[in-house]
Amino acid sequence: MADQPKPISPLKNLLASGFGGMCLLFMGHPLDTVKVRLQTQPPNLPRQPPMYSETLDCLPKTLRRGITGLYQGMAATIIRVTPMFAVCFFGKKLQQKHSEDVLSYPQLFAAGVLSGTFTTGIVTPGAPIECWLQFLASSGETKYIGTLDCAKKLYQEFGIRGIYKRTCALNPGGWRHCTEGIFNWAVAIPQDVLKSHFQTAPPGKYPNGFGDVLRELIWDEGITSLSKGSDAVMTRAFPANVACFLGLEVATPNL
């Protein structure tokens, strides 16, 4: 008789997914930092060039502060990366009886919806911390001295509801991990621009949520403002996602 496929081990799935997520993070975080800085830079004054014109302009300017400037806010992400990616890949595993099963397109869609829904609860608390640290590093401010200090002060200022509110109004993070890659970012980048502005805004600036952000951006900078950082994420998408799935495939048989 042929060997029966082995059932999927939840612990093995957790560890392998976490390792894949860490590989993606180390490969992709520098360009994620560049993306946030491109998105949240102040509007340029008349006849004045913008602070950053594109990824290739922002990247060397960030490196002038040292390589660590590209990894601002990564600690907030690495804490949640293992459960986040475990849940992402678990959405697919729920559709399979064995790891070798090939899913149909409706099953893949359902897996993406499940993953995106459940990862939002994991992504949300760390996203404002990561975004604030990346944003403030580009402006030269030292409002927070690290991830824990940022988390503590955000909680003191806004409370737990404030942290969740600043992301759940519009969070493409879950969808981003459902169908990783360039095509996904073509859809998600406008939402991500709004999210970055919403998270780094002073308290009360956008009382009606992301609708206020959208109106302000289009009024001040035009519709093209919704594509800020697209070159950074398109550049990031391929190597980061290759690193993720390579890490997953390397880890799985060795666990």
Side-chain angles (χ1 to χ4, degrees):
M1 294 180 61
D3 292 338
Q4 293 294 321
K6 294 181 179 180
I8 299 168
S9 166
L11 179 60
K12 184 176 180 180
N13 178 68
L14 173 69
L15 296 175
S17 301
F19 183 73
M22 289 181 184
C23 291
L24 180 145
L25 180 62
F26 280 102
M27 179 66 73
H29 195 82
L31 283 172
D32 191 70
T33 299
V34 170
K35 177 209 69 174
V36 170
R37 292 179 180 180
L38 287 168
Q39 291 173 342
T40 57
Q41 64 179 313
N44 53 302
L45 299 173
R47 300 179 183 178
Q48 295 292 326
M51 182 182 295
Y52 307 118
S53 60
E54 59 181 11
T55 295
L56 292 179
D57 180 47
C58 181
L59 188 60
K61 288 179 179 177
T62 304
L63 280 171
R64 290 174 190 170
R65 301 184 178 91
I67 190 67
T68 55
L70 292 173
Y71 286 92
Q72 290 291 331
M74 193 177 76
T77 305
I78 204 167
I79 292 170
R80 58 198 168 102
V81 72
T82 296
M84 180 174 68
F85 277 87
V87 171
C88 281
F89 288 111
F90 190 61
K92 179 183 176 183
K93 302 298 183 185
L94 284 175
Q95 307 292 320
Q96 297 174 304
K97 291 183 178 179
H98 302 96
S99 58
E100 294 83 1
D101 293 348
V102 178
L103 301 184
S104 65
Y105 288 121
Q107 286 177 313
L108 288 172
F109 178 81
V113 171
L114 287 169
S115 298
T117 300
F118 291 113
T119 55
T120 298
I122 301 171
V123 171
T124 297
I129 299 169
E130 175 188 358
C131 206
W132 266 110
L133 291 172
Q134 291 171 327
F135 167 71
L136 292 174
S138 66
S139 64
E141 295 183 49
T142 55
K143 184 176 180 179
Y144 308 118
I145 57 175
T147 299
L148 292 179
D149 183 57
C150 181
K152 177 183 176 181
K153 290 179 179 176
L154 283 176
Y155 179 78
Q156 290 174 341
E157 189 171 356
F158 304 112
I160 191 67
R161 292 182 60 190
I163 292 177
Y164 273 86
K165 180 181 177 182
R166 295 171 77 84
T167 304
C168 67
L170 191 63
N171 179 23
W175 292 102
R176 187 167 70 228
H177 295 303
C178 299
T179 53
E180 291 285 2
I182 293 174
F183 292 108
N184 175 264
W185 270 114
V187 177
I189 190 64
Q191 304 168 41
D192 196 68
V193 172
L194 297 178
K195 179 183 73 70
S196 294
H197 276 269
F198 191 59
Q199 288 176 337
T200 57
K205 183 175 181 179
Y206 301 118
N208 298 315
F210 71 91
D212 286 350
V213 185
L214 179 63
R215 283 188 290 271
E216 181 184 83
L217 281 174
I218 293 178
W219 179 264
D220 291 345
E221 303 178 50
I223 192 69
T224 56
S225 63
L226 297 177
S227 64
K228 282 185 175 180
S230 58
D231 55 341
V233 296
M234 294 299 181
T235 304
R236 168 189 179 274
F238 181 76
N241 288 290
V242 167
C244 175
F245 287 103
L246 179 62
L248 179 69
E249 293 300 321
V250 168
T252 299
N254 292 296
L255 291 174

